[in-house]
Amino acid sequence: MKKVLLVATLASIGATACSNDFTADPSNPNAITVENIAQKWQLAMVDDQAISAEGAPTLTVNTDMVASGYSGCNRYFGNAQLENSRFRIDRMASTRMACASQAMDMEFTVSDVLSDWSQINITDNQLTLANHKTTLTFKTVQNNTP
């Protein structure tokens, strides 16, 4: 009986540890929710420095909180997590191509912010992720298909 109780307790703790807190505070109109992050974003600025839209890194999050995108050289994917105004991609994996040094620098910067817990803010179709070193600013990608 003790073994069954121990297994049930450990399973409960494991399920809780893997869950994401997606509840929004209805009194806070700026609360980050799955619904307002689940879209395609394109990197527009790194630390307040504008970057070229051509070949810019992207971030796509779906309503199941699966994230994917392009980091400047490689494609990446993982499970997005949203908790207490913080965001990260857990267990982020990517392709392993080598690119020019400028593209690799961008990739390291983007991967560092996305894989670490970062403060998140969304206002006016703009997503900002900031960790202790870098701030990334993304803009929504408009779907041009009718």
Side-chain angles (χ1 to χ4, degrees), residues 25 29 42 44 63 73 88 93-94 98 100 111 117 119-120 125 141:
D25 178 0
Q42 183 174 32
T63 56
C73 177
R88 77 171 176 179
S94 70
S111 296
W117 281 112
Q119 289 300 118
I120 183 172
N125 295 321
V141 175

Side-chain angles (χ1 to χ4, degrees), residues 22-87:
F22 299 132
T23 57
D25 178 0
S27 65
N28 182 359
N30 295 321
I32 306 300
T33 64
V34 173
E35 289 75 23
N36 60 11
I37 195 173
Q39 55 189 306
K40 185 172 183 178
W41 304 90
Q42 183 174 32
L43 189 63
M45 290 191 291
V46 176
D47 293 331
D48 295 325
Q49 295 279 55
I51 65 166
S52 170
E54 184 179 330
T58 61
L59 167 64
T60 301
V61 181
N62 70 22
T63 56
D64 293 329
M65 293 299 282
V66 173
S68 62
Y70 172 72
S71 58
C73 177
N74 288 287
R75 309 271 326 144
Y76 67 87
F77 55 93
N79 295 314
Q81 296 180 324
L82 185 60
E83 182 179 294
N84 299 326
S85 298
R86 297 180 314 146
F87 175 87

Side-chain angles (χ1 to χ4, degrees), residues 88-109:
R88 77 171 176 179
I89 299 176
D90 189 36
R91 299 183 194 123
M92 192 164 100
S94 70
T95 56
R96 297 278 189 193
M97 296 186 306
C99 296
S101 64
Q102 187 175 9
M104 292 305 295
D105 289 345
M106 178 65 73
E107 173 150 322
F108 291 137
T109 298

